[in-house]
């Protein structure tokens, strides 16, 4: 049995999915967290396959997620739709329910957040709601695990959904609908999707279902004539007529089922009070800076740094222990591979795990508490000046962690312009993989001024992004569309969900360290230990790597660095940015040797280039996937590398003049 879990954004789908399947998907208090569908089995029963689909508000394809869900219904033929509805905002949720009902696919409604509804002063007449909708409705609380067993029993035993037709109550619209439905009688083949639904979809102008179910062009033309009649008779677009009708039905349902003593749940009331303070006209920005400032200060400074230092010592003693115990008397090539290549390379990357985890901990706390959505709201206005909108802020912020999830987070955008722009700018944010490079190089050259240099680099990434987007805004006179962001209620972040997210991140990072970076360290070690004749060389300046790097060094000459060791590091950085550091480590023997190659000005130019040049392969893959075009993705890479070159060049030239 294939069960599709469908509902609005933020109504608890993923929470329910996790409870039913025992899986660990991320639950976030931010609309649009579920961007890909996930599959699990209810109570481990292989006969009950549950698919978590992205949150949507209707089946009319206005946004990407709605297209995903609609295509799912067309292509995958689910046996049952489990429609999860947020009981505390029925009005908004029921639109989707009505549309799902029209499809004719067996439907069970899970009325979620009942715990909150009970706390509020709303009273819902469930019996009447059931009479109206004529489908099974099970009140549940996904969070408190209430009503889940009843829900599963109902899903197992659900009957065919009797083609409920609200339209028959409307004497003006119904004749049109009935006539349209008759028109497709001959073309329509018996299937899980009702004739009524295909009819309304065509009348609303969505032809995908008609295509799939083989409705002839001829019939569609006839339907279009009828559509014009409807439009004349209502003096309104046909789609609007149908949409309005559904809203009238909802109004009727709400009027008779829901009694309001107050308009807000306790939680919403509390949120409003908190918002009066946090999104206050004067306080919003100082608070935002304070919060983000502390997050970055704590993760990169106090906590992350301390933990990293401890971790580093542990790793170093581990490596020297291995070295002394096992490689005392072993072949030099093997020893050099294991100790200098693999262990030191991976070790230098692993030391940054604590910092990255702490950063992700804070970001996920911000998201779960509901504050992340407020950030988008607060920063919208200033970002519009630069031709961006508040919506871009969250992906850009995530970009400080890793470009891959950041690029993926743009999937919920409706505007293509904004999506492309945000995807382009994300790699300019210093991702956590660049942090180790900054940390080590600035510490080597700038001593106790290093934190300021790091701040400058982080800031520069932001400034370059803003300038770029401002240029696009002015040149092409294009601005992002206004957006409606629903502000979720503030909730206390759940430790379990946060813990799970951190575990995931840690796993991701370790997987990367032990696959890509592991491979990279071996390749790097190989390229720098052997020459063209595949002889083992002790002097790596005659190695394969040196030859490759030397051939492209003229390109870097104007930036103040053209040493093959550094260029090799930049090349391997494309595999994963952390690798820049491990390569330098391998090639120079010790990072301190870099003083013989570069001065402070050259290092700054190098750091700026590292900040801005094209992102790693993982990010490239994500960008390519989101843009649906290898060509566009390559264009992004070239443009980014050019911007990096120009910025480093200007800095080097101007810096040279000043000094
Ligand atoms: P999705 O966007 O539909 O997948 O929603 P999520 O599962 O991510 O949940 C959104 C928020 O609602 C999270 O903060 C959940 O903890 C919360 N939530 C989910 N179910 C319930 C419930 O039954 N009661 C209450 N009070 N909160 C819930
Ligand atoms: Mg979700």
């Amino acid at each position: 049995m294939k069960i599709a879990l469908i509902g609005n954004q933020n109504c608890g789908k993923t929470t329910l999915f996790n409870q039913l399947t025992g899986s660990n998907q991320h639950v976030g208090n931010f609309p649009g967290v579920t961007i890909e569908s996930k599959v699990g089995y209810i109570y481990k029963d292989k006969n009950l396959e549950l698919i978590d689909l992205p949150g949507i508000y209707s089946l009319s394809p206005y946004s990407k997620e709605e297209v995903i869900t609609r295509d799912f219904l067309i292509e995958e033929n689910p046996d049952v739709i489990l429609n999860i509805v947020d009981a505390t905002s029925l009005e908004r949720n029921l639109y989707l329910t009505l549309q799902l009902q029209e499809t004719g696919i067996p439907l069970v409604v899970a009325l979620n957040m009942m715990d909150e509804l009970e706390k509020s002063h709303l009273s819902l007449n469930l019996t009447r709601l059931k009479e109206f909708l004529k489908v099974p409705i099970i009140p549940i609380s996904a969070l408190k695990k209430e009503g889940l067993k009843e829900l599963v029993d109902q899903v197992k035993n659900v009957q065919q959904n009797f083609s409920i037709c609200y339209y028959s109550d409307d004497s003006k619209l119904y004749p049109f609908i009935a006539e349209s439905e008759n028109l497709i009688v001959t073309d329509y083949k018996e299937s899980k999707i009702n004739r009524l639904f295909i009819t309304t979809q065509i009348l609303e102008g969505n032809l995908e279902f008609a295509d799939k179910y083989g409705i002839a062009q001829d019939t569609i033309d006839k339907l279009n004539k009828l559509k014009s009649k409807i439009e004349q008779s209502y003096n309104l677009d046909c789609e609007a007529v149908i949409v309005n009708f559904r809203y009238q039905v909802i109004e009727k349902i709400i009027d008779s089922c829901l009694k309001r003593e107050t308009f807000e749940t306790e939680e919403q009331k509390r949120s409003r009070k908190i918002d009066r303070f946090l999104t206050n006209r004067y306080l919003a920005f100082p608070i935002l800076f304070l919060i983000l400032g502390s997050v970055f200060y704590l993760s990169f400074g106090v906590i992350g740094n301390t933990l990293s230092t401890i971790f580093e010592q542990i790793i170093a003693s581990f490596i020297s222990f291995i070295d002394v115990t096992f490689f005392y008397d072993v072949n030099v090539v093997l020893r050099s591979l294991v100790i200098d290549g693999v262990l030191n390379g991976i070790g230098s990357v692993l030391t940054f795990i604590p910092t990255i985890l702490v950063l992700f901990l804070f970001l996920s706390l911000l998201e779960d508490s509901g504050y992340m959505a407020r950030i988008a709201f607060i920063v919208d206005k200033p970002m519009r000046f630069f031709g961006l909108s508040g919506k871009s802020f969250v992906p850009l912020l995530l970009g400080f962690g890793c470009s891959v999830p950041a690029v993926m987070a743009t999937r919920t955008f409706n505007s293509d312009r904004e999506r492309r722009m945000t995807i382009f700018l994300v790699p300019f944010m210093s991702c956590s993989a660049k942090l180790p490079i900054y940390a080590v190089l600035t510490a080597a050259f700038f001593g106790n001024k290093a934190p300021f240099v790091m701040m400058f680099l982080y800031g520069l990434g932001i400034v370059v992004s803003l300038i770029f987007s401002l240029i696009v805004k002015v040149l092409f006179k294009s601005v992002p569309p206004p957006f409606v962001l629903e502000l979720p209620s503030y909730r206390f972040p759940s430790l379990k969900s946060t813990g799970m997210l951190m575990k995931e991140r840690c796993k991701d990072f370790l997987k990367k360290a032990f696959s890509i970076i592991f491979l990279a360290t071996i390749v790097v070690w190989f390229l720098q230990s052997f020459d063209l004749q595949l002889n083992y060389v002790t002097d790596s300046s005659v190695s394969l790597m040196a030859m490759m790097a030397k051939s492209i060094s003229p390109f870097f000459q104007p930036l103040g660095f053209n040493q093959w060791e550094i260029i090799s590091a930049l090349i391997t950085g494309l595999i994963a940015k952390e690798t820049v550091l491990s390569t330098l480590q391998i090639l120079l023997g010790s990072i301190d040797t870099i003083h013989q190659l570069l001065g402070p000005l050259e290092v700054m130019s190098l750091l700026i280039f590292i900040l801005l040049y094209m992102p790693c392969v993982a990010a490239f893959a994500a960008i390519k996937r989101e843009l649906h075009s290898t060509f566009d993705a390559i264009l992004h890479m070239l443009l980014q590398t050019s911007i990096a070159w120009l910025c480093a060049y200007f800095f080097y030239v101007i810096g040279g003049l000043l000094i």
Side-chain angles (χ1 to χ4, degrees):
M1 204 184 223
K2 212 184 256 179
I3 305 153
L5 183 57
I6 301 184
N8 285 187
Q9 288 185 349
N10 227 28
C11 66
K13 278 187 310 306
T14 305
T15 311
L16 180 64
F17 181 86
N18 287 349
Q19 302 283 16
L20 291 181
T21 63
S23 124
N24 287 343
Q25 297 302 341
H26 174 48
V27 178
N29 191 9
F30 184 73
V33 165
T34 306
I35 36 187
E36 270 174 340
S37 51
K38 317 226 162 57
V39 180
Y41 297 99
I42 296 183
Y43 299 148
K44 310 235 162 17
D45 180 347
K46 291 276 179 222
N47 295 319
L48 300 174
E49 188 185 78
L50 187 67
I51 300 111
D52 184 19
L53 289 159
I56 54 170
Y57 295 106
S58 81
L59 284 180
S60 317
Y62 295 119
S63 70
K64 272 230 153 66
E65 299 85 74
E66 289 170 347
V67 174
I68 295 178
T69 308
R70 189 206 57 201
D71 288 349
F72 181 84
L73 291 182
I74 297 183
E75 303 298 335
E76 301 287 329
N77 282 318
D79 302 290
V80 181
I81 295 176
L82 177 51
N83 175 210
I84 174 163
V85 161
D86 178 351
T88 62
S89 42
L90 265 186
E91 244 167 310
R92 176 162 53 72
N93 281 247
L94 281 180
Y95 188 87
L96 181 64
T97 309
L98 292 190
Q99 268 193 324
L100 290 174
Q101 228 176 358
E102 280 176 29
T103 64
I105 300 172
L107 179 70
V108 175
V109 172
L111 201 58
N112 193 27
M113 311 257 182
M114 285 307 282
D115 56 320
E116 241 179 73
L117 188 78
E118 276 154 23
K119 272 189 279 172
S120 77
H121 301 287
L122 281 174
S123 62
L124 176 70
N125 189 331
L126 202 60
T127 326
R128 252 198 233 158
L129 187 63
K130 281 182 188 162
E131 279 167 18
F132 261 106
L133 292 179
K134 298 192 188 68
V135 292
I137 301 175
I138 314 293
I140 65 162
S141 164
L143 193 67
K144 307 234 152 99
K145 303 183 198 170
E146 284 163 9
L148 302 188
K149 201 179 153 305
E150 292 81 351
L151 182 66
V152 174
D153 285 342
Q154 188 53 253
V155 168
K156 281 192 209 158
N157 299 318
V158 67
Q159 305 289 319
Q160 180 59 39
N161 166 356
F162 311 101
S163 148
I164 316 104
C165 182
Y166 302 101
Y167 299 94
S168 59
D169 298 338
D170 186 321
S171 54
K172 185 171 176 193
L173 186 58
Y174 185 59
F176 289 115
I177 298 283
E179 194 183 339
S180 323
E181 232 190 317
N182 278 333
L183 278 176
I184 65 167
V185 159
T186 44
D187 295 354
Y188 171 77
K189 285 175 239 39
E190 208 45 55
S191 81
K192 279 188 193 152
I193 307 266
N194 258 341
R195 214 168 67 213
L196 172 68
F197 183 68
I198 298 173
T199 313
T200 52
Q201 284 286 310
I202 298 175
L203 288 177
E204 284 178 78
N206 308 323
L207 294 177
E208 285 77 5
F209 281 94
D211 259 11
K212 169 76 181 175
Y213 290 98
I215 310 296
Q217 188 55 44
D218 190 38
T219 317
I220 293 180
D221 292 340
K222 280 187 205 145
L223 268 169
N224 280 339
K225 283 202 195 94
L226 197 66
K227 199 167 144 183
S228 322
K229 265 199 224 157
I230 300 179
E231 291 181 344
Q232 272 166 16
S233 135
Y234 279 85
N235 202 9
L236 201 65
D237 180 56
C238 187
E239 190 185 354
V241 173
I242 295 178
V243 172
N244 285 348
F245 172 76
R246 291 200 189 107
Y247 277 117
Q248 278 163 24
V249 175
I250 293 172
E251 213 179 289
K252 216 157 69 186
I253 297 177
I254 297 287
D255 277 350
S256 75
C257 300
L258 205 59
K259 251 180 73 196
R260 267 187 202 129
E261 274 123 44
T262 64
F263 286 87
E264 297 176 302
T265 64
E266 282 300 316
E267 219 186 37
Q268 284 163 341
K269 212 188 280 167
R270 197 182 60 214
S271 286
R272 200 164 45 89
K273 277 192 198 136
I274 301 178
D275 268 338
R276 246 198 323 234
F277 178 64
L278 289 185
T279 61
N280 178 288
R281 189 139 50 111
Y282 303 104
L283 291 177
F285 276 102
I287 293 175
L288 176 68
F289 286 127
L290 204 70
I291 291 180
L292 290 185
S294 339
V295 165
F296 282 89
Y297 178 69
L298 287 176
S299 18
F300 296 133
V302 193
I303 307 178
N305 220 347
T306 317
L307 289 176
S308 282
T309 316
I310 299 172
F311 209 57
E312 201 180 330
Q313 282 159 358
I314 297 175
I315 291 176
S317 22
F318 174 75
I319 294 180
S320 67
F321 168 77
I322 298 266
D323 193 12
V324 174
T325 328
F326 298 105
F327 292 93
Y328 183 62
D329 233 3
V330 184
N331 174 303
V332 273
V333 181
L334 186 65
R335 179 173 179 272
S336 130
L337 168 64
V338 177
I339 302 296
D340 303 334
V342 176
L343 289 183
N344 271 327
I346 290 187
S348 63
V349 171
L350 286 190
T351 43
F352 289 91
I353 279 198
T355 310
I356 289 164
L357 279 187
V358 173
L359 178 66
F360 274 118
L361 169 71
F362 285 121
L363 286 181
S364 78
L365 288 181
L366 285 184
E367 184 182 315
D368 275 359
S369 64
Y371 187 64
M372 197 77 112
R374 267 74 184 181
I375 296 182
F377 170 76
I378 297 169
V379 300
D380 189 55
K381 211 170 152 198
M383 293 203 38
R384 271 179 198 281
F385 174 78
F386 295 100
L388 291 163
S389 85
K391 238 185 155 171
S392 311
F393 193 81
V394 173
L396 291 178
L397 195 63
L398 290 177
F400 286 109
C402 172
S403 299
V404 176
V407 165
M408 282 173 67
T410 61
R411 217 179 269 183
T412 57
F413 286 21
N414 297 329
S415 139
D416 204 43
R417 174 205 186 275
E418 237 189 324
R419 224 183 65 236
R420 280 170 180 278
M421 183 59 113
T422 312
I423 290 176
F424 185 78
L425 299 182
V426 160
F428 287 156
M429 303 299 118
S430 290
C431 74
S432 51
K434 292 177 195 161
L435 172 72
I437 316 174
Y438 300 166
V440 170
L441 289 185
T442 54
F445 281 86
F446 304 104
N448 58 6
K449 293 195 200 70
F452 297 105
V453 180
M454 291 195 31
M455 255 150 67
F456 168 78
L457 288 167
Y458 274 88
L460 184 68
I462 300 172
V463 171
V464 169
S465 310
L466 291 180
I467 293 177
F468 180 83
S469 124
L470 192 63
I471 292 174
V472 172
K473 176 185 158 189
V474 174
L475 277 187
F476 298 97
K477 299 204 174 23
S478 71
V479 288
F483 73 98
V484 192
L485 181 77
E486 212 184 300
L487 294 180
S489 299
Y490 286 105
R491 295 201 169 99
F492 205 75
S494 106
L495 269 181
K496 195 168 154 239
S497 129
T498 311
M500 242 148 53
L501 186 72
M502 303 214 353
K503 210 175 84 194
E504 286 289 298
R505 298 280 188 242
C506 197
K507 238 170 51 195
D508 276 359
F509 190 83
L510 285 176
K511 234 166 58 197
K512 208 160 107 183
F514 284 100
S515 54
I516 303 179
I517 298 174
F518 177 72
L519 214 82
T521 46
I522 294 185
V523 171
V524 170
W525 170 83
F526 176 80
L527 288 176
Q528 61 110 15
S529 305
F530 292 89
D531 64 13
L532 255 185
Q533 283 77 41
L534 296 186
N535 296 317
Y536 182 71
V537 291
T538 38
D539 175 13
S540 27
S541 66
V542 294
S543 66
L544 283 165
M545 177 67 94
M547 285 173 50
M548 266 167 59
K550 278 171 193 161
S551 68
I552 57 167
S553 68
F555 176 75
F556 294 97
Q557 179 72 45
L559 308 185
F561 51 89
N562 65 348
Q563 294 80 353
W564 68 272
E565 294 93 334
I566 290 172
I567 296 165
S568 309
L570 290 177
I571 299 173
T572 54
L574 298 180
I575 296 169
K577 286 291 154 76
E578 300 93 329
T579 326
V580 171
L581 198 61
S582 46
T583 307
L584 283 177
Q585 192 106 25
I586 299 173
L587 293 182
L588 299 178
S590 146
I591 286 291
D592 291 331
T593 327
I594 200 166
H595 283 285
Q596 296 160 14
L597 304 179
L598 305 176
L601 185 61
E602 286 78 18
V603 155
M604 275 315 288
S605 161
L606 173 65
L607 284 170
I608 291 173
F609 189 80
I610 291 174
L611 162 72
L612 300 170
Y613 85 122
M614 63 185 279
C616 67
V617 281
F620 173 77
I623 291 172
K624 188 189 122 203
R625 202 169 55 212
E626 295 309 317
L627 292 177
H628 304 295
S629 154
T630 314
F631 180 76
D632 286 2
I634 291 177
L635 220 61
H636 273 210
M637 302 298 124
L638 291 179
L639 192 53
Q640 272 155 2
T641 309
S642 318
I643 291 177
W645 195 93
L646 284 176
C647 290
Y649 179 70
F650 280 125
F651 186 90
Y652 184 61
V653 170
I654 293 171
L657 291 179
L658 291 181
I659 292 176

